[in-house]
Amino acid sequence: MPEATIICCDCSEYMRNGDFHPTRFDAQNDSVSLITNTKTQQNIENTVGLIAMNGKGKADVLVNCTTDVGRVLTSCNKMMINGYADILVALKTAKLALKHRKNKKQDQRILLFVGSPIKCNEKQLIKTAKTLKKNKVAVDVVSFGEIDDNKEILEKFHKSVNSNDNSALVVVEAGKLLSDVLVGTSVFNQDQQINEFAGLGTDTGNSNAGGGGVNNAFAEYGGIDPSEDPEMAMAIKMSLDAERQRKEQLAKENKDNNDNNNDNNN
């Protein structure tokens, strides 16, 4: 079934934090790039849109649902850090954007990145979650940064919005490579069954990837079995490899610059 996905990006001041390399903001943008490419390759009718949560609690629709990956990535690169994020406004805006999608046969999904403390009213957020569930809108939440502060409210939100395990709550601890962790979750591969609290013996359809990532035999292919879809698996692997090489090169350049600065200071 084709799917329309609206990605809501956290552009708050908290995204300057460097606990994800090189910053939360850059780690989020890298993940958006990979997810956009993956979703549009999974089904020719899949579309992706982009919302920026910034300013004084605004949610700006940068791109409505489209198959044009270039438009999404260009808009992603133009996003700027400013103000604070209001996920309640973003969810309502995303719901409206999905309502007006051109292909009504598409399933509806919101992908929400949360890298700052949630400040909206909890009762209103839960009410919105139930409305989204009623309207058959799945919501995947990626919590990275401020995960302890947001844990309780995001778990309540997920419980309220989840319907037959169509939604996921992925929690990523600081220091992990965000895009690499997400590759092993249902955020990349919606057909994958996720058990977030496997260690606790529950089956919630979530994914807590903070401990050491998700056990996935096909993680290097974005969770796609290359024997079933070799072209897609290879395309995703190439994207991941290119992104990893870019990060390694950037880290090397930063190290060289730091070493040069230290030599000059001495």
Side-chain angles (χ1 to χ4, degrees):
M1 179 70 72
E3 184 177 78
T5 303
I6 295 289
I7 303 176
C8 299
C9 294
D10 191 332
C11 299
S12 68
E13 293 290 341
Y14 282 85
M15 300 301 284
R16 300 184 190 277
N17 197 305
D19 51 354
F20 287 85
H21 182 77
T23 65
R24 292 181 188 177
F25 189 68
D26 291 320
Q28 172 185 250
N29 289 1
D30 290 341
S31 299
V32 169
S33 175
L34 288 173
I35 290 168
T36 300
N37 277 289
T38 300
K39 285 187 175 293
T40 52
Q41 290 170 6
Q42 285 175 339
N43 189 312
I44 193 173
E45 295 184 68
N46 280 358
T47 57
V48 178
L50 189 65
I51 287 178
M53 300 183 286
N54 57 19
K56 296 181 179 179
K58 296 190 301 180
D60 298 326
V61 181
L62 303 182
V63 183
N64 215 328
C65 292
T66 179
T67 57
D68 189 340
V69 175
R71 284 185 59 199
V72 179
L73 300 187
T74 298
S75 296
C76 182
N77 291 331
K78 291 181 179 179
M79 291 192 304
M80 298 180 65
I81 295 175
N82 179 34
Y84 68 93
D86 190 327
I87 67 171
L88 183 59
V89 173
L91 288 168
K92 291 181 177 180
T93 304
K95 175 181 175 294
L96 186 61
L98 288 170
K99 181 180 180 180
H100 293 290
R101 68 196 186 284
K102 293 181 180 179
N103 185 356
K104 302 300 182 183
K105 294 182 180 180
Q106 291 174 310
D107 288 338
Q108 304 172 83
R109 182 173 301 275
I110 298 172
L111 174 55
L112 179 69
F113 282 91
V114 182
S116 57
I118 296 174
K119 298 182 179 298
C120 63
N121 182 277
E122 181 178 316
K123 289 184 178 180
Q124 291 182 4
L125 183 62
I126 300 305
K127 181 180 179 180
T128 299
K130 293 178 179 179
T131 300
L132 290 168
K133 180 178 180 179
K134 181 179 179 181
N135 286 273
K136 299 181 179 179
V137 180
V139 182
D140 293 332
V141 179
V142 178
S143 177
F144 66 115
E146 318 306 322
I147 59 177
D148 292 332
D149 291 343
N150 295 332
K151 182 178 185 294
E152 183 177 353
I153 190 171
L154 285 180
E155 288 179 352
K156 290 180 179 178
F157 173 82
H158 175 264
K159 183 178 180 180
S160 299
V161 78
N162 192 31
S163 176
N164 297 320
D165 292 335
N166 70 337
S167 302
L169 170 59
V170 182
V171 181
V172 186
E173 292 179 354
K176 301 291 181 180
L177 190 58
L178 183 61
S179 57
D180 276 7
V181 173
L182 294 181
V183 162
T185 71
S186 60
V187 171
F188 267 81
N189 183 11
Q190 297 301 331
D191 293 330
Q192 180 180 334
Q193 294 299 314
I194 300 297
N195 177 8
E196 173 171 353
F197 301 109
L200 300 180
T202 61
D203 186 5
T204 64
N206 300 0
S207 176
N208 187 333
V214 177
N215 183 19
N216 183 353
F218 307 115
E220 64 178 312
Y221 299 104
I224 304 296
D225 185 345
S227 65
E228 295 182 359
D229 196 337
E231 292 185 1
M232 183 186 298
M234 186 54 62
I236 295 175
K237 184 178 187 299
M238 291 174 64
S239 295
L240 291 172
D241 288 344
E243 182 62 24
R244 189 174 293 107
Q245 290 173 10
R246 187 189 72 81
K247 288 178 179 292
E248 290 174 352
Q249 180 63 30
L250 180 62
K252 183 178 181 300
E253 291 174 357
N254 289 338
K255 182 179 183 300
D256 291 342
N257 290 335
N258 290 336
D259 290 343
N260 291 334
N261 291 335
N262 291 335
D263 290 341
N264 292 333
N265 291 334
N266 293 333

